[in-house]
Amino acid sequence: MTDVRPTTDADGVLRTLFRSDQGGHEQVVLCQDRESGLKAVIALHSTALGPALGGTRFYPYASEEEAVRDALNLSRGMSYKNALAGLDHGGGKAVIIGDPDLIKTEQLLLAYGRFVASLGGRYVTACDVGTYVRDMDVVARENPWTTGRSPENGGAGDSSVLTAFGVFQGMRAAAQAQWGEPTLRGRRVGVAGVGKVGHHLVEHLVEDGAEVVVTDVRTEAVERITGRHPQVTAVTDADVLIRTPLDVYAPCALGGALNDETVAALTATVVCGAANNQLAHPGVEKDLADRGILYAPDYLVNAGGVIQVADELHGFDFDRAKAKAAKIFDTTLAIFDRAKADGIPPAVAADRLAEQRMAEARAARTRA
């Protein structure tokens, strides 16, 4: 009698891992250190362009399967982000399972650093949700392939500065494409999430003369913004924000912000934000286009941070990194032009351009 094992959620994760259109990952490593309590996933999607580069997310996932799936999605996004940013890096991502406020310790971060180091430079790590510059300083004590460190420790510091700058450049490009001028002056912009990146983005928008509306799950984050800029208004949550009359909607928190319900409710005609993996599922990009909403692909416009930490590997120079991040404006316009010429959504045009660069790198490596 054949033993038929019931399909589980883990099976779905494994299918995603090996399926070329959604996964195609080169390597996924599960890490556990019992003494420190570390449970982590390191996913390398591609090293076609060079060592995989991506952040470390520390988050209380509901299950191990959810953590693996997030690592797979995020690492794939990093491959595309690094390719469009013109970096000689592939895509990778690590997730640490657990509430950082409860379990993050020096011992745990050191153990994580040893696991990254065991990959021998195939993965270069940095900060992400739940990890900070001070954490990377600890990780770097065990792992030389660590970026996003403090300036005192030879690093570039907070990468959210250039992440926000890059998103602002992408938003300027979207304004140029949609309204004929590369400025948000007089436009109403809703920013969902005003944490590490979002509050820097608000600074750029206020300086540019935009009318800004914000929301965040943390009251103190909103109060920091409105205390500094009394002209900025706040709403209770993202559901209210997307239904508020806006010109631009900027998702800057966790992924999946654009789904069937939110796209149907959006009042904005431009979406451009810092959050990773904003499209909840395939097809959302077409729904946005069908509604006449111009979507600036997240991994294109939020690449400023990875540009910053990549520069750290060559002896960090802020002006050099900022100049490279400023090119996000031109790349975003080029994606919009290609999408219009080919009659496809910008997200599809961006995917094709990134895939082309990775394919050319693999072909060159094969010839060599």
Side-chain angles (χ1 to χ4, degrees):
M1 179 177 177
T2 303
D3 180 21
V4 179
R5 184 168 56 90
T7 301
T8 66
D9 192 47
D11 294 323
V13 169
L14 291 175
R15 283 196 298 272
T16 299
L17 169 61
F18 291 114
R19 188 180 300 162
S20 61
D21 60 341
Q22 296 180 26
H25 292 70
E26 293 180 9
Q27 184 178 10
V28 177
V29 181
L30 305 180
C31 313
Q32 180 172 241
D33 180 73
R34 291 184 176 86
E35 288 188 11
S36 65
L38 172 73
K39 290 184 179 180
V41 183
I42 302 173
L44 307 186
H45 177 261
S46 171
T47 57
L49 294 170
L53 171 62
T56 300
R57 178 163 295 190
F58 205 140
Y59 189 75
Y61 293 96
S63 68
E64 288 83 359
E65 289 78 18
E66 182 183 324
V68 173
R69 185 175 291 106
D70 203 28
L72 296 178
N73 290 335
L74 291 167
S75 61
R76 180 177 182 271
M78 288 305 305
S79 286
Y80 285 65
K81 179 186 297 190
N82 293 339
L84 286 184
L87 300 176
D88 295 326
H89 284 283
K93 203 79 172 189
V95 300
I96 298 175
I97 303 170
D99 187 336
D101 291 334
L102 298 178
I103 71 167
K104 187 194 294 182
T105 62
E106 180 180 73
Q107 184 184 18
L108 182 147
L109 292 171
L110 291 172
Y112 169 67
R114 289 192 292 273
F115 280 119
V116 176
S118 72
L119 295 174
R122 281 173 51 79
Y123 172 56
V124 181
T125 196
C127 304
D128 196 73
V129 174
T131 58
Y132 301 87
V133 170
R134 61 182 178 273
D135 299 326
M136 293 303 107
D137 283 344
V138 176
V139 172
R141 284 157 50 188
E142 292 284 358
N143 174 47
W145 298 283
T146 304
T147 58
R149 296 163 295 156
S150 66
E152 309 88 79
N153 286 281
D158 184 7
S159 64
S160 63
V161 174
L162 285 190
T163 302
F165 176 73
V167 172
F168 180 61
Q169 298 311 309
M171 200 178 290
R172 289 180 59 242
Q176 172 73 52
Q178 195 79 327
W179 301 300
E181 288 187 289
T183 178
L184 283 306
R185 180 170 300 279
R187 302 291 174 184
R188 198 175 200 199
V189 182
V191 182
V194 286
K196 285 197 292 187
V197 176
H199 86 274
H200 288 299
L201 178 59
V202 170
E203 296 290 338
H204 290 298
L205 291 167
V206 168
E207 184 178 353
D208 195 36
E211 180 185 351
V212 182
V213 186
V214 303
T215 192
D216 197 292
V217 295
R218 296 159 301 163
T219 303
E220 64 273 16
V222 173
E223 290 175 346
R224 175 175 61 171
I225 295 293
T226 55
R228 181 176 174 84
H229 301 290
Q231 73 271 38
V232 171
T233 57
V235 296
T236 53
D237 56 41
D239 286 338
V240 172
L241 184 63
I242 63 172
R243 290 170 171 81
T244 299
L246 301 171
D247 294 299
V248 181
Y249 175 56
C252 295
L254 295 177
L258 301 173
N259 54 41
D260 297 338
E261 182 180 347
T262 56
V263 170
L266 270 173
T267 62
T269 55
V270 168
V271 174
C272 178
N276 288 310
N277 297 329
Q278 292 171 24
L279 305 180
H281 60 77
V284 173
E285 70 285 352
K286 185 177 184 301
D287 294 338
L288 288 164
D290 289 346
R291 287 205 58 213
I293 299 171
L294 183 63
Y295 171 63
D298 48 44
Y299 64 81
L300 165 62
V301 301
N302 69 13
V306 74
I307 289 171
Q308 179 170 328
V309 297
D311 192 84
E312 184 178 321
L313 298 171
H314 307 286
F316 182 63
D317 183 289
F318 183 82
D319 290 337
R320 179 177 63 199
K322 186 175 182 180
K324 192 160 191 174
K327 294 178 181 178
I328 290 173
F329 176 85
D330 294 324
T331 307
T332 305
L333 278 181
I335 292 295
F336 291 151
D337 288 343
R338 180 168 179 169
K340 186 176 181 179
D342 294 349
I344 55 177
V348 176
D351 282 356
R352 289 181 181 177
L353 186 60
E355 288 161 1
Q356 178 182 337
R357 184 169 184 237
M358 288 187 279
E360 288 171 353
R362 283 191 292 269
R365 184 180 295 179
T366 300
R367 288 193 299 271

